[in-house]
Amino acid sequence: MPEHRNFTPDKTLAIDWVDDHAARLSQDHMTIWNFHEPSWREYKSAAWYVERLKAEGFAVETGSGDMPTAFVAEWSNGDGPTIGGYAEYDAIPGTSQAPVPRRQPREGVSRHAAGHTDPHSALGLGSFAGFLAAKHVMRTRGIKGRLKFFGEPAEKMCGSKPIHAAKGYYDDLDAAISFHPHSFPRLANSCFWDTHSAPYWSRIYTFECNSPETWQNAGAIAGVAHSHSAARAPGAIDAVCLMYTSSKYMKEAMLPHHGSWSLNEFILHAGQAAADNLAPGLGQIQYSLRAPTLDMCRRVFEVLDRNAEHCAAMTHCKVTGSWITRTRAGLPNHAMAEVTWRNFEAIGAPQWSDEARAFGREIQTSLGVVPMEDPFAPEIQHLTAPWDGEKAFREQLPSWQTNLAADDYVDYTWHAPTVRLYVGRPTLRAPDPGYRYPDWTRHAMGGVPVCIDPMWLTASKVIATTILDLLTDGVSLDKAQAEFRERTGGGIGGSRWVAPLLPREFAPPVHYRWPEYVSTVRGEEWTIPTAAP
């Protein structure tokens, strides 16, 4: 740490704690990275965090919000503010990648299995380490306050945070810190200012053909006639296919083509019938929408609901629509961004070693790119002030659009003043302006400690020092809460406050046919299991 950077003794103690425990924490990160469990199926990852948090003295509620792989951990050092944060640990199907400088799935699993992309393994460890460092200082210095650390599964479906919010888990927070590896090159080491993440809504349509015999009643079958020669009901496969195609055709008419919105599909189930003249009985399709405003979300799902009813009628099915998630749009808090940014400025951007650069050059060589002395992008190696990052957003967005992309951290922002911290993750420098590296390059570096550790270790120091400011400086937290009350028209329940979009009694969608790893007599396998709708 450069001597000219003036940290308080408390902050110095926190930073020293991270440095002293970096080797152990690096091993911890690789543990989560090697689990690479997908959404709603992060059993090993959640259990690891629960065990570690209990060992650190936290009281832990497992299965919080009726989500088997979620948790809430609390540690108190006496009456004082409550600061919230979280770990994510879900991986993404179809991104299996070994930590090697070439495209190669992880050993022993399918190419289509899950892998950490952002990576959430590092996101979780960065936040976890920051909270542990703050806890160490609080206990050592006698600083009063409470830390509330969440395990948030299924972020790639924006899954758990809207549920925790709806069930009241965030209502007692005084402030919250959300950390993510950088997603925007112009905002690689910074904080969101005004333009926060947009809403994300997802819904599953289940088609069931329960009475195929009533499709046509042309009289009883008699004589030599056979049921295989009778017209069968179209059934659930046809329903899913019609829903898929009709909604593709309707996409042009759902919303105008501006505002950076996207609609994606996932077919969970199509079939449950033999190659026979039997009507397929069950089909499911999921739609996930990112759109800048809640009104745009409502308009799209009005069309999808209508399409589903018509497709069900045409195929002799009944249809049920069930929400997977509904998030709000992110609420800014400049005061939280300012206190976090001050600490980021003092700590500095992450820096990469010669060993990390050597791995980057190996990747470039494998792709036929002339290896560079410094293969890492310049954006990830310097800081960008939040207001300068905001200018970059405004250069590419229409004036009316105040939210972009999607992430479920936004549900924290409506219950406590929240900062969205970005730290630069290892990203390779392009040899030419139009060149784009394949995604596996980032995924591979996420499993190489010398490449990924500088990012989340930097984040942990920023998080720890920001927690200490919120608890001790007597200004930052009050300013953030005053701004929160102003923006919401009075805080939770205020005149401009947006309530959770899921009901308090919402049942988490853990029972669907999500991809997962299973143990069989053949060993551990990647599969999409059969389950009830």
Side-chain angles (χ1 to χ4, degrees), residues 239-293:
V240 167
C241 291
L242 285 170
M243 182 68 181
Y244 178 87
T245 54
S246 63
S247 297
K248 283 289 189 186
Y249 295 140
M250 288 296 294
K251 188 181 284 191
E252 296 273 341
M254 289 183 185
L255 290 173
H257 284 272
H258 63 260
S260 306
W261 66 278
S262 64
L263 181 68
N264 299 308
E265 314 89 350
F266 169 51
I267 296 175
L268 292 86
H269 209 304
Q272 294 293 57
D276 205 339
N277 201 41
L278 302 176
L282 176 65
Q284 290 177 323
I285 186 168
Q286 177 187 12
Y287 284 91
S288 298
L289 172 72
R290 294 173 175 85
T293 69

Side-chain angles (χ1 to χ4, degrees), residues 59-80:
V60 185
E61 175 190 349
T62 59
S64 53
D66 300 319
M67 296 176 282
T69 54
F71 62 82
V72 181
E74 298 184 32
W75 181 84
S76 176
N77 204 38
D79 291 340

Side-chain angles (χ1 to χ4, degrees), residues 205-380:
Y205 296 93
T206 298
F207 296 92
E208 296 177 274
C209 187
N210 292 329
S211 303
E213 71 279 0
T214 61
W215 169 246
Q216 287 186 335
N217 291 320
I221 298 174
V224 296
H226 193 281
S227 60
H228 289 181
S229 65
R232 73 167 196 182
I237 290 180
D238 285 16
V240 167
C241 291
L242 285 170
M243 182 68 181
Y244 178 87
T245 54
S246 63
S247 297
K248 283 289 189 186
Y249 295 140
M250 288 296 294
K251 188 181 284 191
E252 296 273 341
M254 289 183 185
L255 290 173
H257 284 272
H258 63 260
S260 306
W261 66 278
S262 64
L263 181 68
N264 299 308
E265 314 89 350
F266 169 51
I267 296 175
L268 292 86
H269 209 304
Q272 294 293 57
D276 205 339
N277 201 41
L278 302 176
L282 176 65
Q284 290 177 323
I285 186 168
Q286 177 187 12
Y287 284 91
S288 298
L289 172 72
R290 294 173 175 85
T293 69
L294 294 180
D295 181 65
M296 294 172 78
C297 293
R298 295 186 190 98
R299 290 174 184 270
V300 167
F301 279 94
E302 284 176 4
V303 176
L304 292 175
D305 286 351
R306 187 167 60 242
N307 287 358
E309 291 293 340
H310 286 289
C311 292
M314 287 189 288
T315 56
H316 204 57
C317 293
K318 72 170 187 177
V319 64
T320 304
S322 301
W323 289 111
I324 300 302
T325 190
R326 296 171 76 195
T327 75
R328 294 164 276 187
L331 182 70
N333 193 285
H334 290 178
M336 284 294 291
E338 286 171 345
V339 63
T340 307
W341 171 246
R342 287 198 303 268
N343 288 306
F344 207 167
E345 273 192 307
I347 289 164
Q351 301 297 313
W352 280 269
S353 65
D354 291 340
E355 188 180 356
R357 291 189 172 91
F359 188 82
R361 288 192 288 270
E362 287 186 68
I363 292 178
Q364 291 178 324
T365 299
S366 75
L367 293 170
V369 175
V370 176
M372 306 171 187
E373 182 178 355
D374 181 3
F376 292 120
E379 292 89 349
I380 67 171

